[in-house]
Amino acid sequence: MKNRSYLVHLAGVIAMIIWGLSFIWSTQVYKNLNPTATIFLRLVIATIFFTAILFIFRLNEKVERKHLGLFALAAMFEPFLYFLFEGYGLKNTSPVIGSAIIAMIPLVTPVAATIFLREKLSPMNIAGFIVSFLGVMVMLVNKDLEFVASTKGVIFLFCAVIVAVGYSISLVKLTKLYKPLTITWVQNIIGMIYFLPTTIVMEQFEPSHFGNVSEYIVPLICLGVLCSAIAYSLWAFAFSKIGASRANVYSNLIPVFTGIFSFLLGIEAMSGNKIIGIVLVVVGLIFSQLKTKEAKS
């Protein structure tokens, strides 16, 4: 059981590493494609990859017609609405600030999980949420304690946070019915259908430069295979084992990894407040995953 527990937490961390990189890959692709075109192609790549894996290794399972409504709702939240808000939010902010705001998802999820899923949190879990939140806030300010970010971008990103909470609730219900691979595969297919007409419309207002394939193909494939396929499967697995509230705390690691990779790739400098923020986020994450005797199930 202990080894199984480590696998669950490892899955959560790996998903966050991939999603931390996704903010950098997305920024690179947005130089040529608009967000809707990027997301549509990302889902197409993910769907092709998933279909091949599921049928080659015979991992596919039958999806009941009565559950399609729940799948449609989950896909409406994410990837559709979430990626729209995140995409246009990230286009107007830096990768680190964008990922830091997205990391606020764990602070909203426990409230929704308590109301809709009746999940219980220990005082240590709550302390972890607070410490992680402080860490994220520290990463959002400069040395003069000034918050510098595009208002437009911040609004889009906060909308993405709200939508992600709705997705978390529907995902928990789905993980009780289907395997993580099936859930991710179906939601990508439905999301792709949602995005097709949206992409056609948005191309009229913000045309993409599809011809510069060499400039965006690698990060686009990474977004499709690693982010929309592998990371989402790992995330669904973690959700099914430790619940919405505790699994979502891993989102706080996203700005940590985004900040580290942005620094290593020379995209953004690693300032003192970002280092302090990273330490607080990690400490808060550890607290949030501890179980007291009352909280153990």
Side-chain angles (χ1 to χ4, degrees):
M1 291 300 292
K2 288 185 177 180
N3 291 334
R4 185 71 170 179
S5 176
Y6 290 137
L7 288 176
V8 171
H9 296 301
L10 180 61
V13 172
I14 293 176
M16 294 310 105
I17 292 175
I18 295 174
W19 282 338
L21 282 165
S22 75
F23 286 85
I24 297 173
W25 292 327
S26 295
T27 300
Q28 294 172 336
V29 178
Y30 291 160
K31 294 178 181 178
N32 291 279
L33 310 180
N34 68 47
T36 53
T38 299
I39 298 162
F40 174 70
L41 292 176
R42 169 179 173 174
L43 293 176
V44 169
I45 293 172
T47 300
I48 293 173
F49 173 81
F50 252 125
T51 302
I53 293 297
L54 289 174
F55 285 90
I56 289 176
F57 295 99
R58 298 181 180 179
L59 298 173
N60 55 301
E61 59 181 327
K62 182 180 180 181
V63 176
E64 299 292 336
R65 181 176 299 180
K66 63 181 179 181
H67 297 143
L68 289 179
L70 183 57
F71 272 110
L73 177 62
M76 176 62 70
F77 284 133
E78 197 167 336
F80 186 62
L81 291 176
Y82 175 81
F83 279 155
L84 274 180
F85 289 135
E86 183 197 72
Y88 284 99
L90 184 58
K91 192 170 183 180
N92 289 279
T93 58
S94 72
V96 173
I97 288 180
S99 61
I101 293 177
I102 292 301
M104 293 181 182
I105 291 172
L107 302 169
V108 184
T109 303
V111 178
T114 300
I115 296 173
F116 297 105
L117 302 177
R118 297 182 179 179
E119 291 188 4
K120 295 181 179 180
L121 299 174
S122 70
M124 189 65 74
N125 297 150
I126 296 173
F129 298 150
I130 295 174
V131 173
S132 288
F133 174 71
L134 291 176
V136 172
M137 288 295 98
V138 169
M139 294 178 70
L140 281 174
V141 298
N142 59 24
K143 61 181 180 180
D144 298 318
L145 299 181
E146 296 175 335
F147 179 78
V148 183
S150 163
T151 302
K152 179 181 178 181
V154 169
I155 291 175
F156 275 126
L157 289 167
F158 271 113
C159 288
V161 170
I162 295 173
V163 168
V165 174
Y167 172 69
S168 297
I169 302 302
S170 58
L171 179 59
V172 170
K173 294 180 181 297
L174 283 172
T175 54
K176 296 178 181 179
L177 301 169
Y178 299 97
K179 297 176 182 177
L181 289 177
T182 302
I183 295 170
T184 310
W185 178 57
V186 175
Q187 77 176 34
N188 279 342
I189 293 175
I190 298 176
M192 187 172 60
I193 295 172
Y194 286 155
F195 267 106
L196 179 57
T198 307
T199 300
I200 294 174
V201 171
M202 290 307 298
E203 281 297 322
Q204 307 302 314
F205 299 97
E206 192 178 4
S208 298
H209 303 291
F210 292 103
N212 303 326
V213 179
S214 60
E215 295 183 16
Y216 63 81
I217 188 62
V218 173
L220 182 61
I221 291 176
C222 288
L223 286 172
V225 175
L226 297 179
C227 300
S228 290
I230 296 176
Y232 265 102
S233 296
L234 293 173
W235 191 233
F237 170 67
F239 253 76
S240 67
K241 301 300 179 182
I242 60 178
S245 297
R246 294 177 66 225
N248 255 324
V249 175
Y250 277 106
S251 298
N252 282 355
L253 284 176
I254 293 177
V256 174
F257 291 122
T258 301
I260 291 173
F261 289 121
S262 292
F263 171 71
L264 294 176
L265 295 174
I267 298 174
E268 291 188 59
M270 184 63 74
S271 60
N273 62 315
K274 289 180 181 177
I275 294 175
I276 294 173
I278 287 174
V279 172
L280 289 174
V281 167
V282 173
V283 171
L285 176 63
I286 293 173
F287 283 168
S288 70
Q289 298 305 314
L290 295 177
K291 289 185 178 183
T292 61
K293 292 182 179 180
E294 292 79 9
K296 287 183 179 179
S297 56

